[in-house]
Amino acid sequence: MASSGEDISNDDDDMHPAAAGMADGVHLLGFSDEILLHILSHVPSTDLILNVRRTCRKLAALCLDKSLIHTVLLQKDYQASEDKVRQLVKEIGREIQQLSMAGCYWLPGSTVEHVARCRSLVKVNLSGCHLTSLRLSKMLSALQHLRSLAIDVSPGFDASQLSSECKATLSRVRELKQTLFTPSYGVVPCCTSLEKLLLYFEILDRTREGAILSGQLMVGQSNVPHYQNLRVFYARLAPGYINQEVVRLYLAVLSDRTPQNLHAFLISVPGSFAESGATKNLLDSMARNVVLDALQLPKSWLNGSSLLQHMKFNNPFYFSFSRCTLSGGHLIQQVINGGKDLRSLASLNLSGCVHCLSPDSLLRKAEDDIDSSILETLVASCCNLRHLNLSAAHHHSSEGLGRHLCQLLARLRHLRSLSLPVCSVADSAPRADRAPAQPAMHAVPRGFGKKVRVGVQSCPSPFSGQAGPQPSSVFWSLLKNLPFLEHLELIGSNFSSAMPRNEPAIRNSLPPCSRAQSVGDSEVAAIGQLAFLRHLTLAQLPSVLTGSGLVNIGLQCQQLRSLSLANLGMMGKVVYMPALSDMLKHCKRLRDLRLEQPYFSANAQFFQALSQCPSLQRLCLVSRSGTLQPDAVLAFMARCLQVVMCHLFTGESLATCKSLQQSLLRSFQAERPALNVVVFPLLHEGLTDVIRDVPLVHLDEITLFKSRVAEEPPNLWW
């Protein structure tokens, strides 16, 4: 690729080799402009403008096509350095109408401030960027056409520093996404024309010095948010009482006067969030005055309430009842309205709804079989579902022809993402072709046991004695009927990550569901049918004996971008390392790998195998009592030039971890501006203080384990 300072060639035949690719003797530039524009749309904007544009006259013209420069996406362009971003803005800033710099945490405020030169901006996403109140004011003052804005509100934010020109711009903003790291209203009171408001509460209960924060810090700030035109209200809270205290202040205005045009109301809260008099008034007002097409409420607001039957819906596209004690009877009667046509519903989150497929939650035990007629009604009514989450529950199917959960879900041919508990995909009766799995034993010595050469197929076929995945397996049949699935999660009903949010690491875990014992290598291998799979999570599968099914996935799922594996096989010994090594050499597009396994030895063998993933960008390893080899980590980082995030939480000493972290930063920080390295003992009491410094984009997407299917409404933000 030519350097940014290279002159444009005067002869189209005298072009850079990258631009003169040959396919059966035909120059790349022989393709039509339409095809070339489609190809160029996949090139990062910085590379497109600063390099590709300088290769020849034809590409110089195409790279400035409006379809390529009106929208510029810099998020996860980890090679976008300060100089590149400044040069990009200088060359095409006046043409940019939509700009996303979300998660560009490595860029200083002085560089982000150059966005002010993009005078035509209509939408800008600056979430995760460093901005002071004064810099934000200066930047927004110049963006008179802005209608959509995403920013962070960090400690030190002062709304009184916003200029009148800045406030004038904010008064025209219709869409606002605000991530709060401190108790504040942010810029909400200035946005008098708001139609969509997204609030992410990431406030910690204590400061670094140990002082307890309070929502009372907001007293004296402007507390008159303008909600009269609001159509979408979304709030997502991280754990902590302070986030609940602050969101109540935002909701207080809504409870006084509910916007008539409100059609989406969503609040995502971990744990309990008590209903107050104000929130009860708000819900009563909503039931009387608004018609919704998207709804998510805290579980305590719905549990034991008749609220749902009074709510009015019109062509709903998203429902989330995560962690609610919603019975199947209530689901059918109050949500599906006795089998009402809900073809508009695109996304449904029933994660943690342990009774949602049973008629009565009072008489049922969590491990009892589901009522398949409830699921059948759900599938028939919501036939166009694209995203479905049934995780964190025991959904056991009884024997009966065509009545298994997998057989019923196979009718949802439009599904693109699916999250299921491991026990739900087990056949109704024990499989005759499977030997009983050995129960998880107590801890055994660390390591992989017998040494295995990397790259040598040393594990048996996942279908020993079989010709391939057996059609008799209901899980195999399910995946066969969902060939376009892009996101799949199989998570044990009792699984909990060793590293929760804002809390010490978990030292013990619950045993897996007994039915999960019949789900092992054959079921994992069946996932290889999904040729379009991009995101895969497998957690708490105790009957994975060799991990041989992983090889099948690596060979056949060539679109795989992110992989999360947790607690596979027996807890005391890592049995699947040879298979994982074989799998990784086929994962040429893998960008994110999260691995959580007790007693994992992150040695030279592991990192040599991982080095065969040329596209890898982010790695997170969580291993209670695990070990690592510092030299192997350094060698891996030297070979994998795209890696910008390396999080290693093991059983190593604090001194070893600090030494390795300093070596990694010293060796690679200069050439990788976005590099984020955290090496820390998993069970150390200072873990929560370390976690708070991790950029939210990494923390939320990979470091912390969670189910991500139907977590938010589709296309909530661009």
Side-chain angles (χ1 to χ4, degrees):
M1 197 67 71
S3 66
S4 58
E6 189 172 332
D7 292 331
I8 298 176
S9 171
N10 292 321
D11 185 353
D12 282 2
D13 292 328
D14 181 21
M15 64 186 70
H16 190 279
M22 302 290 290
D24 296 329
V26 178
H27 280 288
L28 174 66
L29 296 184
F31 290 119
S32 67
D33 287 358
E34 183 179 7
I35 293 176
L36 287 174
L37 285 172
H38 179 73
I39 294 173
L40 292 173
S41 69
H42 295 278
V43 179
S45 296
T46 51
D47 209 12
L48 188 76
I49 299 302
L50 305 182
N51 292 327
V52 178
R53 187 167 71 96
R54 306 186 189 284
T55 56
C56 68
R57 288 184 181 276
K58 183 169 186 177
L59 288 180
L62 287 176
C63 287
L64 294 178
D65 188 85
K66 292 181 179 180
S67 65
L68 298 179
I69 62 174
H70 275 188
T71 298
V72 172
L73 306 178
L74 296 180
Q75 78 264 28
K76 296 187 180 178
D77 181 0
Y78 298 117
Q79 305 305 316
S81 63
E82 295 179 48
D83 291 341
K84 287 182 178 180
V85 172
R86 294 186 182 197
Q87 188 65 23
L88 176 75
V89 170
K90 180 179 179 181
E91 297 201 21
I92 63 167
R94 293 181 178 275
E95 306 297 326
I96 301 175
Q97 296 181 1
Q98 300 184 64
L99 172 65
S100 178
M101 298 176 67
C104 291
Y105 54 86
W106 62 92
L107 295 176
S110 57
T111 298
V112 178
E113 190 178 26
H114 279 63
V115 170
R117 298 185 178 183
C118 306
R119 300 299 179 97
S120 300
L121 272 180
V122 177
K123 302 178 73 170
V124 63
N125 189 341
L126 300 174
S127 297
C129 295
H130 301 290
L131 277 176
T132 63
S133 307
L134 289 174
R135 280 206 164 104
L136 178 66
S137 178
K138 180 180 178 181
M139 184 179 64
L140 293 184
S141 297
L143 304 179
Q144 299 181 8
H145 302 288
L146 196 66
R147 298 296 180 269
S148 179
L149 172 67
I151 58 169
D152 289 353
V153 177
S154 301
F157 178 86
D158 185 356
S160 66
Q161 295 180 337
L162 302 180
S163 67
S164 57
E165 293 83 3
C166 170
K167 292 179 179 178
T169 295
L170 289 170
S171 70
R172 295 185 288 268
V173 168
R174 296 172 185 166
E175 299 177 353
L176 175 66
K177 177 182 177 183
Q178 191 168 257
T179 304
L180 295 155
F181 294 94
T182 188
S184 174
Y185 289 108
V187 300
V188 171
C190 301
C191 301
T192 56
S193 303
L194 274 184
E195 296 179 7
K196 176 187 284 191
L197 176 60
L198 277 57
L199 299 169
Y200 292 77
F201 295 86
E202 297 288 339
I203 311 167
L204 294 173
D205 291 345
R206 293 176 180 269
T207 65
R208 293 184 185 277
E209 295 75 27
I212 299 176
L213 288 176
S214 169
Q216 295 303 311
L217 293 176
M218 297 169 65
V219 173
Q221 299 181 23
S222 174
N223 60 352
V224 190
H226 298 271
Y227 293 149
Q228 61 268 23
N229 298 317
L230 206 61
R231 296 174 56 82
V232 177
F233 181 89
Y234 175 87
R236 193 189 78 177
L237 282 66
Y241 79 91
I242 183 65
N243 291 308
Q244 296 187 13
E245 187 178 347
V246 174
V247 77
R248 288 188 191 279
L249 297 175
Y250 278 85
L251 291 172
V253 177
L254 272 178
S255 64
D256 291 338
R257 183 179 179 183
T258 307
Q260 293 183 347
N261 293 325
L262 189 69
H263 70 83
F265 186 78
L266 309 120
I267 301 181
S268 174
V269 182
S272 178
F273 183 36
E275 189 178 17
S276 65
T279 56
K280 189 177 185 305
N281 291 338
L282 169 61
L283 296 176
D284 289 343
S285 176
M286 287 172 54
R288 292 192 307 268
N289 302 317
V290 302
V291 179
L292 299 175
D293 57 23
L295 177 67
Q296 178 177 8
L297 295 175
K299 64 178 183 179
S300 55
W301 295 12
L302 284 175
N303 290 348
S305 167
S306 59
L307 175 67
L308 283 178
Q309 69 186 60
H310 299 298
M311 286 285 186
K312 295 184 283 290
F313 302 106
N314 180 36
N315 295 323
F317 67 91
Y318 179 79
F319 284 141
S320 176
F321 304 111
S322 178
R323 307 288 173 180
C324 294
T325 57
L326 185 72
S327 71
H330 288 149
L331 179 66
I332 297 300
Q333 295 165 16
Q334 300 180 13
V335 180
I336 303 178
N337 196 15
K340 180 182 178 181
D341 181 3
L342 285 179
R343 283 181 289 185
S344 61
L345 197 65
S347 186
L348 177 62
N349 190 339
L350 296 172
S351 171
C353 295
V354 297
H355 304 296
C356 68
L357 299 181
S358 299
D360 194 333
S361 61
L362 296 178
L363 304 176
R364 179 185 183 266
K365 295 179 181 179
E367 296 81 7
D368 288 346
D369 290 344
I370 64 171
D371 184 339
S372 57
S373 64
I374 292 175
L375 181 58
E376 198 164 14
T377 302
L378 175 66
V379 168
S381 302
C382 311
C383 56
N384 290 325
L385 272 178
R386 296 176 65 86
H387 315 283
L388 176 62
N389 194 328
L390 293 172
S391 66
H394 297 271
H395 294 316
H396 299 164
S397 299
S398 57
E399 293 189 51
L401 188 62
R403 309 287 284 178
H404 193 283
L405 177 141
C406 288
Q407 293 171 315
L408 295 174
L409 293 183
R411 302 176 189 177
L412 297 173
R413 302 300 178 91
H414 298 284
L415 277 181
R416 294 297 178 268
S417 64
L418 177 63
S419 182
L420 294 174
V422 174
C423 56
S424 73
V425 307
D427 286 338
S428 301
R431 292 266 298 279
D433 60 351
R434 184 194 304 281
Q438 297 297 318
M441 304 298 290
H442 62 277
V444 299
R446 306 174 189 175
F448 301 113
K450 182 180 178 181
K451 292 184 178 179
V452 181
R453 288 174 57 202
V454 175
V456 176
Q457 179 77 24
S458 56
C459 50
S461 164
F463 309 108
S464 300
Q466 307 174 40
Q470 297 303 293
S472 61
S473 162
V474 289
F475 185 57
W476 181 89
S477 299
L478 169 65
L479 300 186
K480 181 183 178 183
N481 284 281
L482 303 176
F484 299 109
L485 205 63
E486 297 177 1
H487 190 163
L488 176 64
E489 296 177 345
L490 274 184
I491 304 174
S493 306
N494 295 331
F495 176 75
S496 57
S497 174
M499 195 171 66
R501 183 73 182 272
N502 297 346
E503 298 173 13
I506 296 176
R507 296 170 184 267
N508 299 304
S509 57
L510 295 173
C513 173
S514 59
R515 287 217 188 180
Q517 300 288 351
S518 61
V519 179
D521 293 317
S522 294
E523 283 72 23
V524 173
I527 297 171
Q529 298 177 88
L530 303 176
F532 297 95
L533 190 67
R534 299 170 67 90
H535 310 281
L536 175 62
T537 295
L538 300 174
Q540 201 180 41
L541 279 76
S543 290
V544 168
L545 301 179
T546 64
S548 51
L550 296 173
V551 182
N552 209 40
I553 296 173
L555 284 167
Q556 300 186 53
C557 302
Q558 289 294 299
Q559 300 300 318
L560 195 62
R561 298 294 196 275
S562 68
L563 175 64
S564 177
L565 304 176
N567 293 8
L568 303 187
M570 293 187 296
M571 293 294 288
K573 186 177 182 181
V574 183
V575 296
Y576 58 90
M577 185 58 199
L580 179 62
S581 297
D582 280 339
M583 176 196 191
L584 291 174
K585 69 182 181 183
H586 303 293
C587 297
K588 302 305 181 185
R589 292 182 173 86
L590 188 67
R591 296 176 183 173
D592 297 339
L593 175 63
R594 187 186 191 278
L595 192 56
E596 179 168 344
Q597 190 79 33
Y599 301 99
F600 190 88
S601 178
N603 57 15
Q605 175 189 347
F606 168 68
F607 283 109
Q608 182 181 347
L610 197 57
S611 298
Q612 299 180 82
C613 302
S615 301
L616 192 69
Q617 295 179 331
R618 300 191 290 186
L619 169 67
C620 178
L621 174 63
V622 179
S623 182
R624 178 170 47 85
S625 301
T627 61
L628 56 82
Q629 293 182 4
D631 290 345
V633 179
L634 288 164
F636 155 73
M637 290 292 287
R639 288 192 297 266
C640 294
L641 304 180
Q642 303 298 319
V643 175
V644 294
M645 190 207 92
C646 182
H647 291 179
L648 306 174
F649 304 97
T650 65
E652 295 288 357
S653 68
L654 182 61
T656 299
C657 292
K658 281 188 173 182
S659 175
L660 176 57
Q661 179 171 319
Q662 291 170 0
S663 296
L664 289 169
L665 292 173
R666 186 169 55 249
S667 300
F668 305 108
Q669 183 83 72
E671 59 194 43
R672 305 181 200 185
L675 185 64
N676 182 254
V677 175
V678 180
V679 187
F680 204 77
L682 178 63
L683 299 182
H684 193 280
E685 60 184 7
L687 179 64
T688 53
D689 291 330
V690 171
I691 289 296
R692 70 187 298 166
D693 291 326
V694 174
L696 187 59
V697 63
H698 298 323
L699 190 67
D700 193 50
E701 293 181 0
I702 182 169
T703 306
L704 297 176
F705 183 96
K706 63 178 176 178
S707 175
R708 293 177 169 82
V709 172
E711 181 186 17
E712 294 181 340
N715 305 316
L716 182 63
W717 198 256
W718 59 288

